[in-house]
Amino acid sequence: MTSENDAPQPDTDTATDPSASEAHPDAIFADPRLAACYDTFDGERDDLDHYESILEELGARTVVDVGCGTGALAVRLAAAGLSVTGVDPALASLEVAHTKPGAGRVDWIHGTAVDLPALDPPLGADAAVMTGNVAQVFVTDEAWAATLTAIRAAVREGGHLVFEARRPERRAWEEWQAETAESVHEVPGLGQVRSRPTRFDVDLPLVTFADEFFFEDGSTLTSTSTLRWRSETELRDSLTAAGFAVQEIRDAPDRPGREFVVIARAA
């Protein structure tokens, strides 16, 4: 079931402070109208094929989707017969997730990974996953460590954590910064929505960017995000400190050479 403890919702520019993403989700996830746009703007999620394959390979039957957002992976795994818990701090995104076919098969939690160890009974999940940019929203070492420690407590001994993180050496932010064109999408229930980038700041290992969204009723919303780039060594060291052993680091089939796909075993 979904926890209804109403967390504070961010203003549209909350994430201007690089530490803000650890306290409040970005507007693209937390504002109801922007959350309703997310799946349309995000497009096909071919990357989820890889996660489903890895979980099948690991023999996982109970899975925690950390930062599940609008539930694309969670409902897909549940439809395949897995027992799935989706956790996310953005209530608006969870509300979108609730509208998807099969959403009733997922246990939805309004919160963060840090809330997982307090669940009764304990999850003892076979695996936890963080898809997309979830692993990079924890911009401080303290927030990242707390998240990994909480996930370790939520998976059984011998269970796994699977996530992706962009390789710093590929400098993906340079490609993002060059994309200045406006995009237009038809969003169900909202009509035509236009978006354009408005800000891009690089202060490594942090990259901050903002997009402005224009709606048919004349209103405008802005969402600002900050991501943290970590090296392979940093990822390995942080996982070891949290009680995981890195089992393998793979390439992402949908973005070859651009990402770490980390498979870590709960020691």
Side-chain angles (χ1 to χ4, degrees):
M1 66 178 65
T2 302
S3 172
E4 296 297 339
N5 55 317
D6 291 335
Q9 296 301 304
D11 296 330
T12 52
D13 283 321
T14 294
T16 300
D17 176 356
S19 65
S21 62
E22 294 156 13
H24 305 292
D26 303 336
I28 188 66
F29 308 112
D31 181 272
R33 280 191 294 174
L34 292 183
C37 294
Y38 184 81
D39 288 337
T40 300
F41 275 78
D42 206 31
E44 292 295 324
R45 292 295 305 274
D46 296 340
D47 59 308
L48 300 184
D49 295 342
H50 192 215
Y51 280 93
E52 190 167 19
S53 296
I54 292 174
L55 292 170
E56 183 177 359
E57 176 186 331
L58 296 174
R61 302 305 302 166
T62 56
V63 178
V64 183
D65 187 357
V66 177
C68 64
T70 57
L73 179 61
V75 295
R76 177 172 173 169
L77 296 177
L82 278 66
S83 176
V84 184
T85 299
V87 58
D88 200 282
L91 187 59
S93 290
L94 290 177
E95 289 173 344
V96 173
H98 272 284
T99 68
K100 295 185 173 180
R105 301 189 188 103
V106 178
D107 290 327
W108 304 104
I109 298 174
H110 178 209
T112 70
V114 176
D115 298 311
L116 295 175
L119 294 180
D120 186 16
L123 283 176
D126 294 329
V129 296
M130 290 186 283
T131 66
N133 292 325
V134 171
Q136 292 184 244
V137 304
F138 306 102
V139 299
T140 67
D141 292 336
E142 293 79 9
W144 178 234
T147 297
L148 292 179
T149 299
I151 292 173
R152 174 61 188 88
V155 299
R156 62 172 176 80
E157 185 175 348
H160 292 85
L161 168 60
V162 183
F163 68 92
E164 64 191 83
R166 296 178 185 271
R167 295 176 180 267
E169 63 269 22
R170 285 303 302 260
R171 302 177 67 86
W173 56 84
E174 293 179 349
E175 297 175 18
W176 298 353
Q177 194 168 18
E179 295 174 359
T180 58
E182 180 177 277
S183 61
V184 182
H185 291 83
E186 193 71 25
V187 179
L190 291 174
Q192 190 178 91
V193 180
R194 296 181 294 116
S195 72
R196 64 179 179 86
T198 60
R199 174 189 173 192
F200 211 99
D201 299 325
V202 179
D203 185 15
L204 295 179
L206 304 181
V207 175
T208 298
F209 50 93
D211 293 281
E212 197 168 21
F213 296 81
F214 305 88
F215 297 85
E216 286 187 344
D217 63 3
S219 60
T220 302
L221 291 172
T222 300
S223 181
T224 305
S225 302
T226 298
L227 299 179
R228 165 81 177 263
W229 262 253
R230 290 181 172 88
S231 68
E232 180 177 343
T233 298
E234 288 177 297
L235 292 174
R236 287 181 177 274
D237 289 347
S238 61
L239 285 162
T240 299
F244 288 97
V246 175
Q247 180 170 309
E248 186 179 358
I249 296 182
R250 299 181 179 179
D251 208 8
D254 59 317
R255 287 187 282 265
R258 294 174 176 267
E259 295 181 351
F260 304 112
V261 178
V262 181
I263 303 173
R265 187 176 183 274

